[in-house]
Amino acid sequence: MLAALAARRSAWNCPVRIRSPPQFLAAAMTGRLSPTRCYHYDSTVFGFRQPRTYTMPDYTPEEIENRKENANLLRFVQAYRYHGHNACDLDPLNLTPKKEIPALQPGRFGLPESGGRYNLTGVLHVGEKNDRYVSRREASIEMIIEHLKNTYTSRIGFEFEHIPNISERRWFRYYLESFERRSFSSDEKKRMFELLAKSEVFDQFMTKKFPQVKRYGLEGAESMMVMLDTIFKEANQTGIQELVLCMPHRGRLNVLVDLLKYPLDKLFHKIKGNNEFPDDEPAMGDVLSHLATSADLSYGVKGPINVNMLHNPSHLEAINPVAVGKARARQMYLYDSGAAGPECQLGDRVLCVQLHGDAAFCGQGVVTETLGLSNLPHYTAGGSIHLIVNNQIGYTTPAMNSRSSLYSSDVGKMIGCPVIHVNADYPEDVAYAATIASEYRNKFRKDVIVDLIAYRRWGHNELDEPAFTQPLMYKNIRSRTSVPKTYENTLVTSSLLSADETAKFRDTHMLQLEDGLKRSYEYTPLPTVLKGDWEGFIIPKTAVTRVDTGADTKLLREIGRQSVALPEGFTPHPRLKKYHIEPRVAKLKDDLPDDASALDWATAEALAFASLLNEGFHVRISGQDVGRGTFSQRHIMVVDQQTEQTVIPLNHLDIPREKVSSSPSYTTFPHFPAPEPAFKNPAQPQKRGMLEIANSSLSEFAVMGFEYGVSLDNPNRLVIWEAQFGDFFNGAQIILDVFVSSGETKWLTESGLVVLLPHGYDGAGPEHSSARIERFLQMCDQKYDVRSEAIPDNPNMHVVNPTTPAQYFHVLRRQMHRNFRKPLIIAGPKILLRHPSAVSPLSAFAPGTTFEPLLPDPTPHIPANAHGPARVIFVSGKLFYELDAHRKKSPPPFPVAIVRVEELHPFPTDLVERELERLGKEVFGQYGGIGSVKWVQEEPQNMGAWSFVAQRLEALLPEGTKLEYVGRVPSAAPATGVSSRHKVEQAKLIQVAFA
């Protein structure tokens, strides 16, 4: 079975393997492996990807001997490699005077400044006059010094000696010291001029036509256009098919128009204050500096390259992990579809390029978090190229107040990332720096940083006056000739272009802009059509919450048993075998009736995953300790106790994919409408899907952003991010605010991301009790007037608090069985994971069953001598079981029904009305109907769902009935940290519920 799986997965495991999976597993089982941490370095686990390794040859004995004999020369050369960047001409404004670097003086190493000759073998590569690839055996000290200065102290500075990997350091030394600085052809230089001139003309046009618009122009850093163009071309030449680009506001419009072919009439339509979407589409739109596009660019080699610029929020650097997640997901998809080719390596087909501001790169913690993901096997995208557009100022803050390091790029050194600093005043040097960065990334599949040191001609925006705080800096800037004009003059002086040619080019581009502005008055936004992998899906205008997500029970029994099946010879932990594996198998025996089994949450989750995998969907669950589960409940990956070899049984399913269709169809609640049929995507992959378990680093911001990016790529992958505890999501609040909750509303980009948040008050204290449901509900967009038909219910996301394993099973499957995608927030279980009453029969998973946004009371309490009208208690979450237990232990003298609101958003208006009508007439009619209605919650009154449900629920109550609140009093902290106080509070609110 494992051999067949390995063959089927071959396209996914492109990195070079040390051993094939079957051999590795066999070796691990027989103890023939060295005592390594197999669990941490297991290439047999699906999705485990590491960059290919490239090893430079070691020094020969002759080289080692010469390094000993010329140790002083070696130390001198190393000083240039380490410290040369400090002597470079990097600052176009010369704000910081260049200092003499004592470490670069030959006398400090006992070397003369002239007159000596040295053997260079194994020390330094100085090319022969007629062949730079061949190193001279000897050179004079004068030649050595000149070579080192030209290589390491020009207008490009290099930092690479901090890299831990010796092969990477040696590659940089050889690359920089072996070759002449790259020369550019006439056509390449003309291309650079055109990019620079277009950017400058565009900014001038905008200043003239739209002087009051904050466009965040590129003046002062126009070389960024050359940098990006070079990266795109280099990527295209090396076989990259798709490039994911993220960038902040500075220069964004320049890139859109001049590199990515964004239609001018569409842009000017937006600039004039119009919506970028048709008025009948459910989108609010976004500001000018957040626009995005996707374009196919052709550089004349290997077909076009698709560049996908992502929408960005104003929260600087928040887009970074989203872009990396999107890039990884895209490459994984290309592998799975076979489009990448059988010999594909990680990073061969997709490249992530991230642009940053200097102050943001060193100031925003998400940068560090995202860098920390870059080499992790379940998060790497094969290396990103980072471009810091260094304006040498953050809004109005100078570098001395914005960072504690020498360079803004220094945070990259935490992952051994090489850094290339370049003076933006020299476009050809910028192109050379981009070439080196691309070569390194292509060779080692790791991140690399280019620090483009430039300036900002205007303030933070064109309406800002920067001289208020930086008068001398801006006196310098305003006296300078622009970079495009300076480079143009250079080409005219060298007779590559004439003054007439450059003027004509600028005039022509200005006329094109004028024409685009003229056409914008007739421009009408085109309808949004989902394309590519999203073809067949829709942008919904109304909510569909009840979908037939049941599955054949015979199939579920089989895949449930296989979810804990282990290879022969595998040694699980004895407690895992006794309390997890054996009980699951017993509950899913063929001779046990569907309505007699009692399935727990972990089993329901495994059945949801397995059934989706069997239907061709991929599943990815990410977060801290998700393989085992925070509460030791999931165990969806099992680690061998003898070898630490990891097995994920769900990736070894061995059953027919055809649906058996032998189990009966169930109808749960006759007074509710029948569920909608499940959506069947005609483009659904025909082979079985795979489960990726991504145990993450201790990060919330970057990891959630990464998973959101994964979810954007393809609708056929269920993507889940799980918090260790529910309230830990607040470390990623920005991702929730600007992407998850509002991405579709702003940009019409759909995401089916599932955010799983363990929730429930159990005395664990202020930080481990609440998933802060109120914050999510505050971000929800459902109308307050639930009876109004003027505003359609099209939820921006779903918020659920399921109370049974079957409900959890169905809500996960619902994510994949609709013809649209919405984010799903699940207030998941803690105590309920092992609660004896929180179980579900297999019949609750059968065809015809669905996720129920509202669960009626299965056994309404009607005392023998009932008197007075009935009470209806609405509750959400695990508190239901405590209320029900109290009702059974101390039955009240009046009729009581406890109704569970399983889906808080969208609020189940229709179902609540139906249930209240049924209770009032059919159940409690003979007792005087419904006399009181209470909302009961564990959270303080200023938290939980109360503020969201109060107005909506009260509008649905019988006339004259008021909604009462029962719960904790308002509080600054979600819960007490004193266990005795928690018990008193909990008992009191339960007692009040029945008082």
Side-chain angles (χ1 to χ4, degrees), residues 191-314:
R191 170 71 173 169
M192 292 182 206
F193 158 73
E194 290 173 358
L195 290 170
L196 295 169
K198 279 185 174 182
S199 180
E200 184 170 51
V201 170
F202 174 78
D203 282 325
Q204 291 170 346
F205 180 84
M206 290 291 293
T207 299
K208 178 181 178 182
K209 299 294 185 179
F210 303 100
Q212 299 302 312
V213 171
K214 297 178 182 179
R215 55 187 165 80
Y216 305 101
L218 195 55
E219 293 116 311
E222 292 94 344
S223 290
M224 183 187 86
M225 304 294 288
V226 174
M227 174 75 71
L228 288 176
D229 190 59
T230 304
I231 292 172
F232 296 168
K233 182 178 180 180
E234 292 286 331
N236 190 213
Q237 290 176 336
T238 56
I240 296 292
Q241 296 173 354
E242 302 188 34
L243 188 148
V244 179
L245 174 66
C246 67
M247 66 178 296
H249 47 283
R250 181 80 53 211
R252 190 178 186 91
L253 301 186
N254 305 68
V255 175
L256 282 169
V257 170
D258 296 332
L259 274 179
L260 302 185
K261 307 176 184 178
Y262 197 85
L264 290 172
D265 53 351
K266 184 177 180 180
L267 178 69
F268 292 132
H269 174 83
K270 175 66 176 176
I271 290 174
K272 291 185 294 184
N274 298 307
N275 193 349
E276 62 268 38
F277 299 105
D279 293 336
D280 62 345
E281 291 189 343
M284 295 179 65
D286 203 351
V287 298
L288 187 63
S289 55
H290 297 173
L291 293 176
T293 194
S294 178
D296 290 328
L297 306 182
S298 179
Y299 289 91
V301 290
K302 297 189 177 182
I305 179 174
N306 177 265
V307 179
N308 184 1
M309 177 192 279
L310 303 183
H311 291 281
N312 69 297
S314 293

Side-chain angles (χ1 to χ4, degrees), residues 77-90:
V77 171
Q78 280 295 96
Y80 264 89
R81 292 167 176 164
Y82 271 103
H83 305 296
H85 61 90
N86 291 304
C88 286
D89 177 17
L90 298 176

Side-chain angles (χ1 to χ4, degrees), residues 772-918:
R772 296 280 192 170
I773 294 173
E774 67 278 358
R775 294 191 180 174
F776 293 95
L777 294 175
Q778 187 182 43
M779 290 186 280
C780 290
D781 62 356
Q782 190 174 28
K783 59 195 176 188
Y784 279 90
D785 184 1
V786 291
R787 294 187 184 278
S788 171
E789 297 182 0
I791 306 174
D793 279 331
N794 180 25
N796 59 325
M797 58 184 181
H798 293 269
V799 180
V800 302
N801 193 356
T803 56
T804 72
Q807 287 281 84
Y808 182 46
F809 167 87
H810 286 296
V811 81
L812 290 176
R813 285 180 51 80
R814 185 181 72 175
Q815 282 296 95
M816 309 307 291
H817 282 293
R818 299 184 295 187
N819 60 347
F820 58 88
R821 295 291 179 259
K822 296 280 185 181
L824 171 63
I825 311 300
I826 302 178
K830 294 193 301 179
I831 287 179
L832 294 190
L833 290 170
R834 296 178 176 85
H835 196 290
S837 298
V839 293
S840 298
L842 193 58
S843 58
F845 300 75
T849 57
T850 182
F851 172 77
E852 296 292 355
L854 190 81
L855 282 182
D857 193 332
T859 56
H861 167 71
I862 302 177
N865 298 314
H867 61 83
R871 175 173 300 168
V872 177
I873 294 174
F874 283 91
V875 66
S876 186
K878 66 99 173 171
L879 185 57
F880 163 79
Y881 293 98
E882 296 174 67
L883 292 169
D884 187 46
H886 180 86
R887 180 177 59 175
K888 292 174 181 177
K889 182 179 180 181
S890 304
F894 47 83
V896 177
I898 306 175
V899 180
R900 285 169 276 179
V901 180
E902 301 279 289
E903 184 159 47
L904 292 161
H905 185 257
F907 190 72
T909 303
D910 177 59
L911 301 183
V912 169
E913 285 189 302
R914 288 171 180 264
E915 180 62 10
L916 285 172
E917 183 179 8
R918 184 185 75 90

Side-chain angles (χ1 to χ4, degrees), residues 445-456:
R445 297 293 193 267
K446 292 184 178 180
D447 287 30
V448 58
I449 297 171
V450 180
D451 182 17
L452 181 68
I453 302 175
Y455 59 88
R456 190 184 66 195

Side-chain angles (χ1 to χ4, degrees), residues 19 24 117 135 168 170 177 236 288 356 370 383 402 487 512-513 555-556 561 575 638 659 719 763 813 889 911 922:
R19 302 171 185 262
F24 187 91
R117 293 188 66 82
S135 179
E168 294 176 43
R170 292 196 66 192
E177 295 165 11
N236 190 213
L288 187 63
H356 316 273
T370 307
S402 67
Y487 189 64
Q512 291 171 345
L513 295 171
L555 180 70
L556 292 178
R561 292 192 293 260
R575 280 161 50 191
V638 186
K659 192 171 181 180
V719 183
R813 285 180 51 80
K889 182 179 180 181
L911 301 183
E922 299 177 20

Side-chain angles (χ1 to χ4, degrees), residues 536-695:
F537 286 77
I538 66 167
I539 298 170
K541 296 184 180 180
T542 58
V544 177
T545 58
R546 300 177 73 252
V547 178
D548 182 355
T549 47
D552 183 83
T553 55
K554 286 190 175 181
L555 180 70
L556 292 178
R557 288 179 190 274
E558 180 61 29
I559 60 180
R561 292 192 293 260
Q562 290 194 24
S563 72
V564 288
L566 301 174
E568 185 178 352
F570 194 95
T571 307
H573 194 284
R575 280 161 50 191
L576 195 62
K577 181 179 180 181
K578 181 177 181 180
Y579 297 109
H580 183 77
I581 297 174
E582 292 176 349
R584 181 174 297 180
V585 173
K587 292 174 183 177
L588 293 168
K589 292 189 298 183
D590 288 331
D591 58 356
L592 195 67
D594 286 355
D595 56 359
S597 55
L599 304 184
D600 60 16
W601 291 80
T603 301
E605 182 182 72
L607 294 179
F609 290 173
S611 58
L612 289 172
L613 296 174
N614 202 52
E615 292 166 357
F617 296 104
H618 294 300
V619 178
R620 174 184 166 94
I621 182 168
S622 167
Q624 297 149 24
D625 314 299
V626 294
R628 190 203 76 163
T630 297
F631 308 100
S632 193
Q633 85 284 3
R634 180 171 289 123
H635 297 290
I636 210 161
M637 52 169 269
V638 186
V639 179
D640 189 286
Q641 297 301 296
Q642 304 299 321
T643 65
E644 287 203 350
Q645 171 67 26
T646 300
V647 167
I648 300 175
L650 289 182
N651 283 336
H652 302 261
L653 295 177
D654 186 23
I655 52 177
R657 289 196 56 222
E658 303 84 44
K659 192 171 181 180
V660 184
S661 299
S662 60
S663 60
S665 179
Y666 287 78
T667 301
T668 311
F669 303 113
H671 64 295
F672 287 173
E676 297 284 338
F679 170 66
K680 301 297 183 182
N681 180 13
Q684 176 68 25
Q686 295 305 305
K687 62 181 179 179
R688 184 176 289 121
M690 298 295 287
L691 170 65
E692 182 172 9
I693 306 296
N695 292 297

